[in-house]
Amino acid sequence: MHSHQIEQLTHDHVFLGDAHDKHAARTRWVVVLTAVMMVVEIVAGLMTGSMALLADGIHMATHAGALGVAAFAYSFARTHADNPRYTFGTGKMGDLAGFASALLLAVFAAGIAVQSVERLFEPGRIAYTEATVIAAFGLLVNLASALLLGADHHHDHDHHQGHGHSHSHGHTDNNLRSAYFHVLADALTSVLAIGALLAGRYLGWAWMDAAMGLVGAAVIGRWSWGLMRDTGAVLLDATSTTDLEGEVREAIEDGDARIVDLHVWQVGPGKFAAVVSLVAESPLTPTDYAKRAQIHEELVHITVETHRCPGPHRNLHAA
């Protein structure tokens, strides 16, 4: 094996999602809606002496905080996108925020579960009319928030479902997904609460309130685990990219060149980096090989190392 070359294509290191700014704007609107509802409920609770209103306002505050984390992540990623301190850009900031939100969702689900179990054994007095009105107002706010976030969330989902490769889930904006799940969690608890309250008021099924709380906790916990699993995989560079790796090999290996070491990992929503080491008897320039692989638009950062290796030694791995 003889001399080798290392080269990468010239490019910037801004690996934000294609709809980053649109997602950021919609998330900020949802933060405003949630914060306004939170303030209204807390003020109304203090003025009327309603503990139910006050408690729901404090509950809304936890979701406003979580959505605020998502909005901050978008802002931070955009502001520091060109900061050389972040070697591979700030594309993973959304996944970090998504992981934090997943933890908050898990805490939220656990809290609902504990409270529901307590109410199963010690049912409390429920102000059905007041509680139903509160849940209905909360549901309206959550539906408005879901409309703001839902279109973009489902667009991402449909895009990567139709992409046809196992690595295509990398197109999902996990920061938007986390904000959407917080809105859905609130909407779900409102819907279940309304159903339970109506059943309790008109059918006498007081136990339905606690039962629906447990159902909601289970669903929210499942969302939390899925979000935690996916964002954690991105943060640990463990995202499955088997198909993309196969496409890189197919684009570069030409009968002479053979890849002996390949690493592909996600650096942002729908953005991947690759490091390739190959051997060839008559290697082209690294730039030529990199351009071959760059037919896949997901690959935004490609580094290629070539080793000249005569035929008899082609089975050796690059040092």
Side-chain angles (χ1 to χ4, degrees):
M1 189 178 295
H2 300 295
S3 62
H4 63 271
Q5 293 178 294
I6 302 176
E7 190 174 325
Q8 68 180 44
L9 295 182
T10 301
H11 55 269
D12 60 32
H13 289 77
V14 179
F15 303 138
L16 305 180
D18 295 334
H20 180 93
D21 294 333
K22 181 172 69 171
H23 292 174
R26 294 195 175 192
T27 301
R28 286 194 294 269
W29 275 111
V30 171
V31 171
V32 171
L33 275 174
T34 306
V36 168
M37 183 65 187
M38 172 197 74
V39 171
V40 168
E41 287 191 341
I42 290 176
V43 171
L46 292 172
M47 292 179 65
T48 63
S50 169
M51 287 304 297
L53 272 172
L54 189 60
D56 200 61
I58 294 172
H59 159 75
M60 290 289 284
T62 64
H63 281 282
L67 292 166
V69 169
F72 171 77
Y74 281 122
S75 177
F76 184 94
R78 171 59 68 192
T79 301
H80 296 274
D82 295 310
N83 190 334
R85 180 183 177 189
Y86 301 97
T87 304
F88 282 98
T90 54
K92 287 186 180 181
M93 185 64 188
D95 295 287
L96 180 60
F99 188 83
S101 288
L103 290 176
L104 289 174
L105 275 174
V107 171
F108 178 50
I112 292 176
V114 169
Q115 190 175 40
S116 297
V117 170
E118 290 176 349
R119 288 188 180 182
L120 275 176
F121 292 99
E122 296 181 13
R125 178 180 174 276
I126 301 174
Y128 288 109
T129 301
E130 185 180 63
T132 303
V133 170
I134 295 169
F137 272 117
L139 180 58
L140 288 175
V141 172
N142 292 321
L143 288 176
S145 299
L147 286 174
L148 280 171
L149 298 177
D152 287 341
H153 171 75
H154 288 300
H155 172 75
D156 279 353
H157 180 76
D158 292 341
H159 176 70
H160 72 71
Q161 286 291 328
H163 195 276
H165 304 300
S166 64
H167 68 270
S168 58
H169 65 81
H171 288 276
T172 301
D173 184 336
N174 282 321
N175 196 29
L176 180 76
R177 183 181 168 202
S178 69
Y180 187 63
F181 277 174
H182 274 284
V183 169
L184 282 186
D186 247 356
L188 176 66
T189 54
S190 295
V191 169
L192 293 177
I194 291 171
L197 289 166
L198 292 176
R201 181 173 183 176
Y202 294 107
L203 300 176
W205 296 354
W207 55 269
M208 277 287 286
D209 183 62
M212 290 299 98
L214 288 173
V215 171
V219 174
I220 295 167
R222 185 173 181 275
W223 291 341
S224 169
W225 167 246
L227 183 60
M228 199 179 304
R229 178 196 60 214
D230 294 344
T231 54
V234 174
L235 294 174
L236 293 173
D237 297 327
T239 307
S240 175
T241 56
T242 303
D243 283 357
L244 185 55
E245 289 176 356
E247 291 168 11
V248 171
R249 290 183 183 277
E250 183 180 350
I252 290 180
E253 295 185 332
D254 55 10
D256 181 26
R258 182 171 64 86
I259 293 176
V260 294
D261 194 23
L262 173 63
H263 299 276
V264 179
W265 69 99
Q266 189 172 333
V267 291
K271 313 290 184 181
F272 290 82
V275 174
V276 182
S277 180
L278 62 86
V279 294
E281 186 170 355
S282 302
L284 305 175
T285 68
T287 299
D288 290 329
Y289 291 118
K291 286 180 177 178
R292 288 183 184 181
Q294 210 173 33
I295 62 172
H296 303 289
E297 61 181 14
E298 302 99 331
L299 289 168
V300 294
H301 188 289
I302 308 171
T303 301
V304 179
E305 177 185 52
T306 63
H307 297 261
R308 185 181 300 279
C309 189
H313 306 289
R314 288 289 301 281
N315 289 327
L316 293 177
H317 285 272

